[in-house]
């Protein structure tokens, strides 16, 4: 059997059910090796660093899995000023980063005018700007784009409409899909992704997620394990472990040879070598956090979020023979 970007749903399901063996501290699975080769053949050994600025943890949504959901009164809220955002962006640039990613909860304080000010001031610094600020209207996305924003990350979270409804009390699946198509139409480079191991999520559903990334021609795919988090309705849900999320990552790489795929912080947070392991299973991007550690910790979307400093991340990448871009 030749596994490549033409894999069909049945083959994907079989691959997701394949065994992962732990040998000498390494996770082994045929698809991990295939994904690593696909990554190397299409993108080489370069690893892109994108500097993450989590600029607000206020959010009006109530996603059942998320630690910064509106109803979590145990979260200490913060939002950065324009000056603070710009100084973190400058820090990223001084560290050699070419892209900054502005991510946040859906905070109504950052209305269109405020966002346009933030976007245009960051763009004056001469960096590539990725936004990850949730669902907005076509008009707002268009204005963001005109102000200079280059890329947008909006995970679909799950491509299964029923499951989506079960985990999002005040969000609409069709609207989220629509947002992704609007972003594409407006010329953003678009990233999407899912959480792996959600309550009631089947391997069939994950196979559909992988096919969804392909059908939407995602430029970027960010995925990681679902981490049950205190003070959320899902705090007592089961934790899936690292194996299945790694398989979803590897198979997503095989089907999307050229997509940019981060070794997400969620992998790093559940396993001490999570970032390196993900880089060996198809990932080619890392998103170091630019915030000071105390603020970084407050953006607690899930528990035990890793806060590895950028210098240590660079060392890790080099230690496995990869090249920092
Ligand atoms: N408000 C923005 C950014 C959300 S935070 C948006 O809607 O796009 C970024 C991502 O963190 C989410 O898309 C979600 O996939 C992930 N996340 C949130 N809670 C999580 C949890 N408990 N475990 C793992 N990932 C989680």
């Amino acid at each position: 059997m030749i596994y490549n970007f033409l894999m069909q749903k049945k083959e994907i399901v079989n691959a997701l059910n394949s065994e992962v063996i732990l040998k000498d501290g390494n996770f082994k699975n045929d698809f991990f090796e295939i994904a690593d080769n696909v990554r190397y053949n299409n993108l080489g050994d370069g690893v892109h660093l994108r500097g993450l600025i989590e600029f607000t943890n206020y959010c009006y949504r109530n996603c059942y899995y998320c630690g910064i959901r509106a109803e979590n009164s145990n979260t200490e809220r913060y939002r950065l000023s324009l000056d603070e955002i710009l100084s973190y962006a400058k820090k990223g640039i001084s560290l050699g980063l070419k892209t900054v990613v502005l991510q946040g909860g859906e905070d109504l304080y950052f209305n269109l005018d405020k966002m346009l000010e933030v976007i245009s001031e960051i763009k004056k610094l001469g960096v590539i700007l990725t936004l990850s600020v949730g669902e907005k209207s076509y008009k707002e996305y268009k204005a963001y784009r005109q102000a200079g924003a280059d890329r947008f990350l909006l995970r679909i979270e799950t491509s299964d409409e029923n499951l989506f409804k079960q985990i999002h009390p005040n969000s609409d699946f069709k609207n989220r899909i629509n947002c992704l198509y609007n972003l594409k139409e407006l010329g953003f480079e678009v990233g999407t992704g899912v959480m792996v191991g959600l309550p009631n999520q089947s391997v069939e559903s994950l196979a559909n997620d992988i096919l969804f990334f392909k059908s939407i021609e995602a430029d970027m795919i960010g995925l990681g394990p679902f981490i049950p988090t205190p003070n959320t309705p899902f705090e007592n849900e089961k934790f899936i472990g690292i194996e299945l999320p790694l398989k979803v990552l590897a198979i997503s790489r095989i089907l999307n040879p050229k997509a940019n795929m981060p070794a997400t912080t969620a992998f790093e947070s559940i396993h001490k070598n999570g970032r390196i392991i993900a880089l060996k299973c198809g990932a080619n991007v890392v998103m170091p956090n630019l915030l000071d550690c105390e603020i970084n910790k407050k953006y607690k979307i899930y528990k035990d979020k890793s806060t590895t400093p950028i210098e240590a991340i660079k060392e890790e990448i080099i230690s496995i023979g990869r090249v920092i871009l």
Side-chain angles (χ1 to χ4, degrees):
M1 178 76 79
I2 297 171
Y3 293 103
N4 62 21
F5 61 95
L6 295 172
M7 279 172 84
Q8 303 291 307
K9 180 161 175 194
K10 210 170 140 219
E11 293 162 340
I12 297 172
V13 170
N14 288 339
L16 290 172
N17 284 323
S18 65
E19 202 184 351
V20 176
I21 298 165
L22 189 60
K23 201 174 155 211
D24 308 326
N26 293 314
F27 292 96
K28 300 258 175 211
N29 175 286
D30 289 348
F31 296 95
F32 296 171
E33 279 175 40
I34 300 169
D36 201 37
N37 283 329
V38 171
R39 186 269 311 156
Y40 177 73
N41 291 333
N42 287 277
L43 303 162
D45 275 333
V47 175
H48 298 280
L49 296 185
R50 322 282 199 209
L52 190 56
I53 303 173
E54 293 154 334
F55 70 114
T56 172
N57 71 353
Y58 282 85
C59 192
Y60 77 86
R61 304 249 184 214
N62 262 310
C63 309
Y64 289 142
Y65 47 84
C66 185
I68 63 167
R69 62 198 302 275
E71 282 173 17
N72 183 2
S73 53
N74 284 295
T75 289
E76 196 187 325
R77 304 284 168 175
Y78 72 89
R79 57 171 74 92
L80 303 184
S81 66
L82 176 62
D83 283 349
E84 287 170 316
I85 295 172
L86 291 176
S87 83
Y88 284 120
K90 285 178 192 156
K91 174 177 160 189
I93 294 166
S94 73
L95 291 166
L97 305 188
K98 297 174 198 77
T99 301
V100 296
V101 181
L102 209 55
Q103 182 172 93
E106 294 201 28
D107 180 359
L108 298 175
Y109 171 86
F110 284 98
N111 59 19
L112 183 57
D113 284 347
K114 290 220 170 53
M115 280 305 293
L116 294 183
E117 191 183 14
V118 173
I119 294 167
S120 49
E121 290 300 320
I122 292 181
K123 285 304 291 181
K124 281 185 195 157
L125 303 175
V127 277
I128 298 170
L129 175 60
T130 304
L131 297 177
S132 178
V133 296
E135 295 170 38
K136 307 284 171 186
S137 66
Y138 184 88
K139 199 178 119 221
E140 284 171 291
Y141 286 153
K142 186 172 179 183
Y144 295 170
R145 182 86 185 112
Q146 282 169 344
D150 304 278
R151 305 177 182 149
F152 204 103
L153 303 175
L154 186 74
R155 289 185 176 184
I156 191 65
E157 314 296 2
T158 168
S159 66
D160 177 334
E161 186 164 4
N162 278 329
L163 181 56
F164 188 96
K165 277 192 198 138
Q166 289 169 35
I167 64 178
H168 297 108
N170 57 349
S171 178
D172 179 60
F173 180 75
K174 291 198 173 66
N175 187 56
R176 207 158 174 94
I177 297 267
N178 236 341
C179 285
L180 286 168
Y181 282 104
N182 287 343
L183 290 162
K184 281 188 83 82
E185 189 191 313
L186 288 163
F188 283 96
E189 265 189 51
V190 177
T192 192
V194 296
M195 283 170 286
V196 181
L198 290 163
N200 298 325
Q201 188 181 39
S202 63
V203 282
E204 285 75 16
S205 167
L206 288 164
N208 286 333
D209 292 343
I210 297 170
L211 290 167
F212 172 78
F213 304 149
K214 195 173 155 74
S215 73
I216 199 162
E217 296 175 8
D219 301 295
M220 304 171 279
I221 302 168
L223 58 88
F226 155 66
I227 305 174
T229 294
N231 306 311
T232 68
F234 284 179
E235 64 183 339
N236 295 320
E237 294 294 336
K238 191 169 157 273
F239 170 59
I240 194 86
I242 197 171
E243 291 85 349
L244 187 59
L246 284 176
K247 283 187 275 184
V248 177
L249 174 71
I251 300 158
S252 298
R253 163 58 70 211
I254 297 167
L255 271 89
N256 299 274
K258 296 219 185 281
N260 280 321
M261 299 183 61
T264 53
T265 310
F267 277 112
E268 182 68 10
S269 304
I270 61 156
H271 191 287
K272 66 180 188 326
N273 296 324
R275 187 177 295 112
I276 288 187
I277 298 169
L279 284 171
K280 290 178 174 175
C281 288
N284 72 317
V285 174
V286 175
M287 296 165 70
N289 202 303
L290 293 174
L291 301 182
D292 296 336
C293 198
E294 316 79 68
I295 307 179
N296 182 351
K297 280 192 186 139
K298 286 188 199 164
Y299 194 82
K300 219 175 189 282
I301 44 181
Y302 45 75
K303 69 168 180 193
D304 302 332
K305 196 182 87 171
S306 162
T307 54
T308 316
I310 184 163
E311 293 75 19
I313 293 178
K314 285 184 177 174
E315 278 172 28
E316 272 185 6
I317 295 170
I318 293 165
S319 77
I320 57 165
R322 303 281 279 275
V323 180
I324 293 165
L325 295 177

